[in-house]
Amino acid sequence: MNLFFSSFLNPYSMPRIPLCSKQGMVATSQPTATQAGISILNQGGNAIDAAIAMAASLTVVEPTSNGIGGDAFALVWTKGKLFGLNSSGPSPKSISLQAVLDRGFTEMPLHGWESVTVPGIPFAWSTLAERFGNLPLTETLKPAIKWAKEGYAIPPTLANLWQKEYVKFSQSLTSPQYIHWFETFAKNGRAPKTGEIWNSIDHAKTLQSIAETHAKSFYEGELADRIDEFSKLYNGFLRKEDLATYKPEWVEPISINYRGYDIWEIPPNGQGISALMALNILKEFDLSNRGEAEFYHRMIESIKFSMTDGNTYVTDPQNMQVPIDILLSDRYAKIRSSLITSTASDPYHGDPMHGGTVYLATADSKGNMVSYIQSNYMGFGSGLVVPGTGIALQDRGSNFSLDPQHINCLAPSKRTFHTIIPGFISQNNTPIGPFGVMGGFNQPQGHVQVVTNSIDCHLNPQAALDAPRWRWVKDKTVLVEPHFPLHLAQELEKMGHKISISFDYSMFGRGQAIWRDPETGVLIGGTESRTDGVVAVL
């Protein structure tokens, strides 16, 4: 039996039993979105069609984390090969470092038009459908349109996140350009509560238009015109020309071999390379001692070094100055691993040249598998909703630097350093399956923890996701979940780490995973216990 199936219990939490299937499986953070994926598989759609249906549904049933106006990445296993799609949009052509500085900003704002980049999500759906789908968008977007029209009952975790965003926006988004967010997402002068029905007719009409035009209305037609008009009204930088000239990019996924398994990520401008760099460092150590503090210490230290390198060197690939193969080289991994001692360190980047996100996973009976992620970035994004459309625009541009010497400095038509990353595992050119952990800059840390829990600790996908998580914040500060073993936290403190317990589970990400046993073909899936998610099978 494959190692991913060897342990069905998690020693540090209440055991949750993973689901198994031979025919097909889908997993998302929202039950209604999961239901959409299964319905599409039942209609003859494949894993790609199911992924599109769930992604579109998530813009409706989890708007606190993503929307039509965000970006997307995907890893697709089909036809015996892994394909990568980068559907992240660039900054507007008219924006510049000086233009933002002239508006009085000393750093990129989280909200407003300065943070808005070209949305890539609608084009991701149409591109995936055109190349690999069995069904048209008019079929795969039907469930999302239905939820947007008829409404759905708000689940507990979503209600909590929505309330937090509402309180924050009520205090900070007071200018007229933000009124459409409140009209859309706070219709009764507040966030919807658990069990209440929420719908958006405008959102439904927009999804219908995207489906019928294969996303052309968003980039060239009526929806593009509305975005352009809204931007001009408030002196924004985004224009219809930016939308009309945008296209997603098919990319070659990047990987490292970790203890006999190939771990795959999307190449920069995403931060997936940080997860691979951390795993490359960890290859130098024995991680069989999961019950000891040293196990966590080594992972925390590897994350510090890899994420610091990622923040230093990763940006739009056209602007990167350090080649990917050098960052992922065994030589550089050995250099970085040699810096890990028995005590906590302050992170610093090396010299390699010298020496509010949703994630979903799908699988079908034909062998197709999809690892897909999309986001508006910080919760609801920029706070800007295009009037009459339900389109919440992302604030991905807030990741740009206003330091002219920084590799990720703001420039026209440039893609910023991106946090959202889908993951995938294979072995000997055979797919094991998709996995992902959403949550901003926590994502590489979540990927590393799921991979090590699975490969080093022999946990099945559900147990690997349920295991207590930690999150490196900065310097020597590390957050742990309340159920993280106290004796291990105390030992990490003795090693020099500054450990804090966080009761905010959203700080530790929310993941999904589906593995396929290469011997039997049986699928085994796990979903996040920290949110409202569910796995469904055919």
Side-chain angles (χ1 to χ4, degrees):
M1 199 69 168
N2 184 272
L3 67 86
F4 293 118
F5 294 75
S6 60
S7 174
F8 278 81
L9 294 180
N10 181 347
Y12 294 130
S13 66
M14 291 296 291
R16 301 180 73 210
I17 304 302
L19 290 183
C20 298
S21 174
K22 181 76 172 177
Q23 299 304 314
M25 180 177 290
V26 299
T28 79
S29 53
Q30 294 297 327
T32 45
T34 302
Q35 181 181 338
I38 284 294
S39 70
I40 290 299
L41 289 179
N42 278 322
Q43 292 175 41
N46 59 21
I48 295 87
D49 297 313
I52 295 167
M54 295 193 301
S57 294
L58 283 166
T59 68
V60 181
V61 301
E62 197 174 315
T64 55
S65 303
N66 75 126
I68 299 172
D71 281 345
F73 294 88
L75 289 167
V76 180
W77 184 281
T78 187
K79 307 180 191 303
K81 181 182 177 182
L82 189 65
F83 297 84
L85 181 67
N86 181 330
S87 198
S88 64
S91 58
K93 293 179 175 65
S94 65
I95 203 170
S96 68
L97 173 63
Q98 192 59 50
V100 174
L101 291 174
D102 287 345
R103 294 187 176 188
F105 295 102
T106 56
E107 60 182 27
M108 286 296 290
L110 292 178
H111 305 111
W113 283 104
E114 293 79 14
S115 68
V116 176
T117 51
V118 176
I121 284 177
F123 225 145
W125 300 340
S126 64
T127 300
L128 288 168
E130 181 178 6
R131 185 166 186 181
F132 296 127
N134 286 345
L135 302 176
L137 291 184
T138 48
E139 287 300 317
T140 54
L141 266 59
K142 271 184 179 179
I145 295 168
K146 176 183 184 319
W147 299 128
K149 278 183 180 178
E150 300 177 7
Y152 62 96
I154 303 293
T157 302
L158 179 61
N160 181 49
L161 293 172
W162 208 316
Q163 172 64 14
K164 287 182 179 179
E165 291 293 299
Y166 172 75
V167 170
K168 181 176 68 176
F169 280 14
S170 295
Q171 296 170 350
S172 60
L173 305 187
T174 57
S175 70
Q177 65 181 338
Y178 300 115
I179 191 172
H180 305 292
W181 184 91
F182 292 95
E183 292 173 347
T184 303
F185 296 110
K187 298 176 183 178
N188 298 318
R190 58 172 175 79
K193 299 178 180 180
T194 301
E196 288 187 341
I197 304 299
W198 181 85
N199 74 325
S200 174
I201 298 300
D202 289 340
H203 200 127
K205 291 177 180 177
T206 292
L207 288 171
Q208 188 70 49
S209 177
I210 291 171
E212 292 174 352
T213 66
H214 209 62
K216 287 184 178 179
S217 65
F218 190 94
Y219 295 95
E220 302 173 24
E222 179 189 358
L223 294 174
D225 289 332
R226 291 194 178 194
I227 295 170
D228 184 80
E229 290 168 6
F230 187 37
S231 180
K232 288 177 179 176
L233 181 63
Y234 290 102
N235 201 26
F237 295 98
L238 189 65
R239 293 291 180 268
K240 185 176 181 179
E241 179 190 1
D242 296 307
L243 299 167
T245 56
Y246 172 68
K247 284 197 174 20
E249 180 184 4
W250 289 103
V251 296
E252 286 294 327
I254 56 176
S255 69
I256 58 107
N257 189 272
Y258 184 76
R259 310 197 200 284
Y261 291 86
D262 292 315
I263 315 300
W264 298 89
E265 301 277 355
I266 291 286
N269 54 314
Q271 66 172 339
I273 192 172
S274 296
L276 297 183
M277 286 191 286
L279 290 169
N280 242 3
I281 293 171
L282 289 172
K283 286 195 303 187
E284 303 299 317
F285 300 100
D286 178 5
L287 293 184
S288 61
N289 55 342
R290 185 169 184 261
E292 299 177 16
E294 188 178 43
F295 172 86
Y296 297 95
H297 168 70
R298 287 170 172 169
M299 285 202 293
I300 291 168
E301 294 297 288
S302 71
I303 277 292
K304 284 182 185 177
F305 290 127
S306 64
M307 291 190 67
T308 303
D309 279 342
N311 292 336
T312 302
Y313 298 116
V314 174
T315 185
D316 189 316
Q318 297 182 24
N319 301 97
M320 281 185 62
Q321 298 174 1
V322 179
I324 292 172
D325 58 351
I326 290 180
L327 290 171
L328 293 181
S329 67
D330 289 338
R331 178 190 64 82
Y332 188 55
K334 283 182 170 63
I335 292 172
R336 297 301 261 164
S337 67
S338 69
L339 302 175
I340 297 178
T341 65
S342 60
T343 59
S345 63
D346 289 311
Y348 57 90
H349 68 80
D351 188 355
M353 296 299 286
H354 296 283
T357 302
V358 292
Y359 174 81
L360 60 90
T362 65
D364 63 31
S365 60
K366 305 297 183 183
N368 301 303
M369 306 181 89
V370 179
S371 181
Y372 181 98
I373 197 162
Q374 66 184 26
S375 172
N376 270 13
Y377 194 37
M378 302 295 287
F380 279 96
S382 65
L384 301 168
V385 173
V386 182
T389 68
I391 299 171
L393 295 169
Q394 65 183 343
D395 59 346
R396 186 58 60 177
S398 63
N399 270 343
F400 279 117
S401 171
L402 295 184
D403 177 359
Q405 303 304 316
H406 196 283
I407 191 71
N408 197 44
C409 180
L410 176 65
S413 302
K414 181 179 181 180
R415 289 179 296 182
T416 186
F417 177 77
H418 225 289
T419 60
I420 61 174
I421 52 174
F424 199 92
I425 299 179
S426 66
Q427 185 182 43
N428 300 324
N429 296 318
T430 299
I432 299 298
F435 72 98
V437 179
M438 52 194 124
F441 287 96
N442 181 65
Q443 292 181 59
Q445 307 187 51
H447 280 214
V448 168
Q449 291 175 71
V450 169
V451 170
T452 54
N453 285 340
S454 300
I455 295 176
D456 293 287
C457 304
H458 312 301
L459 298 180
N460 70 75
Q462 186 62 63
L465 289 167
D466 284 344
R469 290 193 193 132
W470 50 267
R471 177 174 181 168
W472 172 66
V473 181
K474 63 178 180 178
D475 304 324
K476 297 179 182 179
T477 302
V478 179
L479 300 180
V480 298
E481 293 186 293
H483 58 294
F484 190 92
L486 179 60
H487 70 284
L488 294 179
Q490 292 171 331
E491 287 297 317
L492 290 171
E493 283 271 4
K494 293 177 183 178
M495 292 177 169
H497 300 281
K498 297 178 181 178
I499 304 297
S500 295
I501 297 174
S502 174
F503 292 91
D504 183 358
Y505 286 97
S506 66
M507 293 294 294
F508 300 95
R510 299 170 296 153
Q512 320 290 334
I514 298 175
W515 305 148
R516 175 177 272 121
D517 185 339
E519 296 179 8
T520 66
V522 171
L523 299 166
I524 179 170
T527 189
E528 186 58 68
S529 56
R530 297 164 184 84
T531 189
D532 308 307
V534 67
V535 178
V537 301
L538 284 181

